[in-house]
């Protein structure tokens, strides 16, 4: 019976996002990064307002550790691994002279980015399970969940 609540929250978040964007563009040197930060601000505002509404209407208490803290920790370590792989490969290719910096920059970026992203996905998957954010039943509920459970069991994550 509260289908309009998210629409109201979206409107409020849009006003907040617009204010944040104006302030960032006028008073900081962030330029295009201000757009990304404003988009994050919008999403964050929506999540917070919708969460508060759900808690008030249903009495639901969100599991903060499993829902936010563990995935954030896994994302932090995933980001470090991806950063090290990307810049490590970039450094090696340029240092070894296999590719020159500046020439074929997009090719160098792709060569370094693809393995970094693939490894990052694997690291995040492993850490989310290892840290306890997902259990066997929750994994099974995901699309292709039975395959994910078998994979997690095979590499001793479950």
């Amino acid at each position: 019976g509260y289908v309009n609540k998210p629409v109201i929250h979206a409107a409020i978040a849009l006003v907040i996002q617009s204010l944040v964007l104006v302030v960032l563009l006028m008073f900081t040197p962030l330029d295009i990064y201000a757009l990304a930060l404003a988009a994050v601000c919008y999403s964050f505002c929506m999540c917070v307002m919708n969460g508060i509404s759900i808690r008030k209407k249903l009495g639901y208490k969100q599991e903060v550790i499993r829902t936010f803290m563990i995935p954030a920790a896994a994302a932090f370590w995933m980001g470090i691994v991806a950063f090290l792989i990307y810049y490590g490969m970039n450094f090696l290719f340029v240092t070894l002279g296999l590719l020159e910096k500046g020439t074929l920059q997009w090719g160098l970026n792709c060569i370094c980015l693809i393995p970094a992203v693939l490894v990052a996905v694997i690291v995040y998957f492993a850490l989310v399970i290892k840290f306890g954010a997902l259990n066997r039943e929750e994994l099974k509920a995901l699309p292709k969940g039975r395959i994910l459970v078998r994979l997690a069991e095979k590499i001793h994550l479950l």
Side-chain angles (χ1 to χ4, degrees), residues 2-20:
Y2 298 97
V3 294
N4 291 333
K5 246 348 184 184
V7 176
I8 294 167
H9 293 161
I12 295 168
L14 184 61
V15 170
I16 294 169
Q17 173 199 11
S18 299
L19 292 172
V20 167

Side-chain angles (χ1 to χ4, degrees), residues 31-134:
D31 296 327
I32 193 73
Y33 298 110
L35 292 171
L37 289 172
V40 170
C41 175
Y42 175 83
S43 302
F44 180 75
C45 289
M46 281 289 295
C47 288
V48 169
M49 287 186 285
N50 287 338
I52 290 169
S53 283
I54 289 171
R55 186 176 64 231
K56 282 182 180 177
K57 301 298 178 197
L58 300 178
Y60 176 75
K61 185 164 176 15
Q62 184 71 50
E63 295 177 30
V64 174
I65 302 292
R66 285 188 68 215
T67 306
F68 300 112
M69 303 305 283
I70 292 174
F76 172 79
W77 290 109
M78 174 201 69
I80 289 175
V81 168
F83 177 87
L84 292 173
I85 291 172
Y86 177 84
Y87 284 104
M89 287 181 68
N90 198 310
F91 177 77
L92 284 175
F93 281 122
V94 172
T95 304
L96 295 176
L98 299 174
L99 290 170
E100 291 183 29
K101 192 133 181 102
T103 60
L104 296 175
Q105 187 63 39
W106 63 272
L108 178 61
N109 285 340
C110 288
I111 290 169
C112 298
L113 180 69
I114 292 170
V117 170
L118 292 175
V119 172
V121 168
I122 294 166
V123 167
Y124 186 79
F125 173 75
L127 291 177
V128 163
I129 294 171
K130 208 62 172 164
F131 290 166
L134 291 173

